[in-house]
Amino acid sequence: MKGVILDKDSFDRGDIDLQKLRRHPAEWIDYASTSPDQINHRINGCEIIITNKVRLNKGLLESTPCLKLIIIAATGTDNVDLDACRASGVTVCNVRHYATPAVVQHTFALMLNLLTNQFRYHQAVIAGAWSNSTVFCLLDYPIVEIQNKTLGIIGYGALGKKVAEIAKAFGMSVQICQRPGGKRRRGRISFEQLLADSDVLTLHCPLTPDTLNLLGENEFKRMKPNAIVINTARGAIIDSTALANALQTGQIAGAGIDVLTEEPPSSSHPLLQSALLQPALLKHDAPNLIVTPHNAWATRESRQRLVDQMAEILGKWLRGHPINVVG
């Protein structure tokens, strides 16, 4: 049995133990990364494909008639044509709940950095502002307490629930909204009310037709001017141009973004412009934005759980009892 890993560098940089995966009977070929023009050649003759973000469309799948199993080294499945897989009898499995501690940790890291402006104070110290201060401390940027603030959560699965649990330990008030397109559930407020009430709004929902550009120009106008937005979910849930404008015009106070619509992004992406990311030191009205490179999930512990679960998926499939089947 022949298997291929198309983008191993996306989860292993030599610090992950792959033995649980390797022990299964398969002849593995690993590629650090795979460009679109390399996919067809690399998957040819394979029965098993492991992909994190490499896209597998209908044409590619139809060109590999011996393909039996695709393991997505992530939870999101939008990079694989599930309809084509069903039509061809190919089993598709994803990895679930492996990154919850890491993403929750990153969510609060972004939140606390934005509320306390720690990253700006760090830059100010490097620039000599503290050494040149006439008093013992710097108070040039707002420092906001998290206690008694309202946290709005969109997406209340495993991640959303854990974020809510930790937020309550910080003394925050937690509100969950009725996700657009989702089933009505007791105890959840409307999306519009969540926008109006939240001091911090954090996204933990999947990207679907109902959540595409969920936050745009109109939504930012409904939010408090002191509100911040955290996105560790999917980039396209937020209209990036609208967010850039909202930050530059002061419609909202800040944003912590780990995901963009295109990854890796173009240098011309609206949220990667120097006016947003490199504001002048000690400029009080400069946009408050932190962008991290889609690595909220990527602690070593999380990546090891990812590989271990892929090994479990492969083993169960080989024994005729597949788990985590999608589509």
Side-chain angles (χ1 to χ4, degrees), residues 135-204:
V135 294
F136 76 95
C137 63
L138 296 181
L139 297 174
D140 298 278
Y141 301 112
I143 303 171
V144 179
E145 290 186 355
I146 197 171
Q147 183 172 311
N148 296 323
K149 298 299 183 293
T150 297
L151 176 67
I153 300 177
I154 301 176
Y156 201 54
L159 280 169
K161 288 182 173 68
K162 193 64 178 179
V163 167
E165 177 186 333
I166 294 175
K168 290 174 183 176
F170 271 110
M172 300 186 83
S173 170
V174 176
Q175 293 188 344
I176 316 299
C177 88
Q178 180 63 46
R179 179 161 56 89
K183 297 179 180 178
R184 296 190 63 83
R185 298 186 183 183
R186 179 178 297 180
R188 302 194 182 189
I189 65 174
S190 70
F191 176 55
E192 292 73 20
Q193 189 65 50
L194 192 83
L195 292 174
D197 290 351
S198 297
D199 298 301
V200 181
L201 181 63
T202 183
L203 302 175
H204 301 287

Side-chain angles (χ1 to χ4, degrees), residues 90-134:
V90 176
T91 301
V92 181
C93 302
N94 66 348
V95 184
R96 305 173 187 180
H97 308 312
Y98 65 97
T100 299
V103 175
V104 170
Q105 173 178 289
H106 198 90
T107 297
F108 281 95
L110 291 172
M111 191 186 308
L112 292 168
N113 267 287
L114 288 166
L115 290 173
T116 63
N117 273 293
Q118 282 189 359
F119 70 106
R120 284 185 171 172
Y121 280 112
H122 176 67
Q123 291 175 334
V125 170
I126 293 173
W130 193 18
S131 298
N132 295 323
S133 176
T134 58

Side-chain angles (χ1 to χ4, degrees), residues 1-6 26-31 38-50 56 60-70 90 317:
M1 186 173 292
K2 184 179 177 182
V4 61
I5 301 175
L6 292 175
E27 177 189 342
W28 289 103
I29 301 176
D30 300 346
Y31 295 102
Q38 295 172 322
I39 301 172
N40 194 41
H41 172 70
R42 291 182 174 183
I43 66 175
N44 184 46
C46 290
E47 293 165 277
I48 304 167
I49 297 174
I50 292 179
L56 299 174
L60 289 166
L61 295 167
E62 289 178 344
S63 71
T64 312
C66 60
L67 181 62
K68 295 182 173 65
L69 174 68
I70 296 173
V90 176
W317 177 79

Side-chain angles (χ1 to χ4, degrees), residues 206-244:
L207 177 62
T208 69
D210 291 313
T211 61
L212 178 65
N213 290 329
L214 182 64
L215 297 184
E217 180 181 359
N218 292 332
E219 287 72 29
F220 291 126
K221 287 179 179 178
R222 294 176 178 176
M223 297 181 69
K224 298 177 180 179
N226 66 327
I228 64 172
V229 173
I230 309 293
N231 187 12
T232 57
R234 285 291 182 269
I237 297 173
I238 295 179
D239 181 330
S240 298
T241 300
L243 175 57

Side-chain angles (χ1 to χ4, degrees), residues 14 37 49 96 132 140 146 165 193 201 216 245 260 265 268 289 293 300 304-305 326-327:
D37 62 330
I49 297 174
R96 305 173 187 180
N132 295 323
D140 298 278
I146 197 171
E165 177 186 333
Q193 189 65 50
L201 181 63
N245 291 335
L260 296 177
S268 63
L289 172 67
R300 189 198 61 78
Q304 187 63 61
R305 287 191 294 268
V326 296

